[in-house]
């Protein structure tokens, strides 16, 4: 089972940027699809972005398209999420998740999750 550890969250003003990282413990990382989800207080966990095992395909929620960028470095077993033009509504705990096969946009398709990193955007 892949163990995932997120980092890079913090407090930022609206319009600012952050870069989240998610480091994986297993070599199978390089053959796994990776995704970022987020969960705001009182809301369900939602898909943010996903990337195929090769990095050749990326997927985004409409709410973040054009502002967030997902990437991965298989040599470092790490996936990144660059968050630009942040808005207060982006405030949430951000989780990375891994699964074999293709990227899925629903949480129940993922068995491997990190502990999450808090992103807070002030207005």
């Amino acid at each position: 089972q892949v163990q995932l550890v997120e980092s890079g969250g913090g407090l930022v003003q609206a319009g600012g940027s952050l870069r989240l990282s998610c480091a994986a413990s297993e070599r199978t990382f390089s053959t796994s699809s990776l995704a970022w989800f987020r969960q705001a207080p009182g809301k369900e966990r939602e898909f943010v972005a996903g990337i195929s095992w090769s990095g050749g395909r990326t997927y985004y929620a409409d709410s973040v398209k054009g502002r967030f960028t997902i990437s991965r470095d298989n040599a470092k077993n790490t996936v990144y999420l660059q968050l630009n033009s942040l808005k207060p509504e982006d405030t949430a705990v951000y989780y990375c998740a891994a699964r074999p096969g293709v990227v899925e946009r629903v949480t129940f398709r993922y068995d491997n999750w990190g502990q999450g990193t808090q992103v807070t955007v002030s207005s």
Side-chain angles (χ1 to χ4, degrees), residues 28-75:
T28 51
F29 171 91
S30 64
T31 60
S32 298
S33 290
L34 278 298
W36 287 93
F37 288 77
R38 67 185 181 186
Q39 188 167 19
K43 295 187 177 181
E44 293 187 352
R45 195 170 297 188
E46 63 176 1
F47 176 83
V48 174
I51 188 166
S52 62
W53 69 270
S54 67
R57 293 189 176 185
T58 56
Y59 308 83
Y60 297 94
D62 288 342
S63 59
V64 306
K65 202 172 293 183
R67 299 189 298 122
F68 293 5
T69 303
I70 189 170
S71 61
R72 66 188 296 166
D73 185 339
N74 286 346

Side-chain angles (χ1 to χ4, degrees), residues 3-9 19-24 35-37 45 79 93-97 112-118:
Q3 293 186 345
L4 305 169
V5 179
E6 303 95 334
S7 61
R19 189 194 195 200
L20 307 184
S21 299
C22 176
W36 287 93
F37 288 77
R45 195 170 297 188
V79 61
V93 178
Y94 284 71
Y95 299 89
C96 69
N112 299 290
W113 292 87
Q115 83 289 349
T117 186
Q118 177 71 47

